[in-house]
Amino acid sequence: RVAMHILGFTEKIDEAWHELDPFKLEIVSLDMIDPVEAKTWYAFRRWAAESFDSPRHMIHQLRLEAGEKPDVDDIPLPLWQDGLRACGWQEGFERQLFQALDMSGSGLIHCRELPWLDIEIKRHEAKQQAKWRFRRESQARAINTLATQYAKKDFKAFLQRHFGCTYHAWRRS
């Protein structure tokens, strides 16, 4: 509710909040306000984290791919649009993303307006490490399972060699 005041929305705040937060969680996410924009934003964050190393790297790479020198830490809309497409962004909505990220309204996105990217990159790296650990642990479990199966097979062969059939070995034990 405080954010509604900060954003300048003053009409029927309680009614709007109740509509956005029917489960009374006291949290409203972008999904609740606009699911389509939320899907685009989440896809963009994921793509950016997978494609760039830092906010500065993103701006420089977009400028470079758009045909400009990457020696400036900000980017205007036309270069943003061209750079995103050239770097592989295929989901569209380049103008809306630019407008959302141009917090100062200057017509430029500066590195300092992308602090979320550092967080997303760390999150992406943590997920990649978790996937790698899971694969490694899964392989170790598979190897252990195979080793157990071979040990059981060897034990059964031992019983058959020494006692003729496993039933006789079982009865003797």
Side-chain angles (χ1 to χ4, degrees):
R1 295 173 202 215
V2 173
M4 291 175 150
H5 282 288
I6 291 170
L7 294 171
F9 182 80
T10 56
E11 301 173 21
K12 300 181 182 178
I13 289 177
D14 289 333
E15 291 87 348
W17 186 265
H18 179 71
E19 183 67 26
L20 291 170
D21 186 24
F23 302 112
K24 298 183 183 347
L25 300 173
E26 294 299 315
I27 295 174
V28 174
S29 69
L30 184 56
D31 292 325
M32 296 168 164
I33 298 170
D34 191 328
V36 173
E37 283 191 18
K39 183 179 176 188
T40 301
W41 174 243
Y42 298 144
F44 179 73
R45 284 181 10 198
R46 190 172 37 257
W47 174 82
E50 293 169 0
S51 302
F52 306 106
D53 299 331
S54 68
R56 174 175 259 188
H57 178 240
M58 180 181 191
I59 297 293
H60 288 193
Q61 196 62 34
L62 293 176
R63 291 183 67 86
L64 184 67
E65 292 296 327
E68 291 289 321
K69 291 182 180 180
D71 56 354
V72 182
D73 289 346
D74 56 31
I75 188 166
L77 177 60
L79 297 181
W80 171 264
Q81 291 171 313
D82 294 344
L84 283 179
R85 290 184 201 117
C87 286
W89 174 251
Q90 299 175 352
E91 305 298 318
F93 301 100
E94 294 89 354
R95 178 180 294 274
Q96 290 88 337
L97 290 166
F98 184 90
Q99 291 169 341
L101 294 170
D102 179 15
M103 297 299 290
S104 65
S106 66
L108 297 169
I109 295 175
H110 193 276
C111 294
R112 68 179 166 269
E113 293 176 303
L114 306 173
W116 56 267
L117 182 54
D118 284 323
I119 296 166
E120 260 335 286
I121 290 168
K122 288 176 184 165
R123 183 178 291 141
H124 174 70
E125 289 170 353
K127 282 182 182 179
Q128 292 305 108
Q129 289 175 358
K131 285 180 185 178
W132 182 80
R133 272 193 314 275
F134 176 76
R135 275 190 229 115
R136 192 179 69 212
E137 290 168 4
S138 292
Q139 289 172 343
R141 279 193 301 276
I143 289 169
N144 286 341
T145 300
L146 230 71
T148 302
Q149 289 171 349
Y150 283 129
K152 180 181 173 187
K153 185 178 176 183
D154 289 346
F155 180 62
K156 191 173 178 182
F158 168 81
L159 293 177
Q160 288 174 340
R161 267 193 322 273
H162 287 84
F163 299 100
C165 71
T166 52
Y167 176 75
H168 289 288
W170 176 72
R171 290 292 293 156
R172 287 187 174 191
S173 60

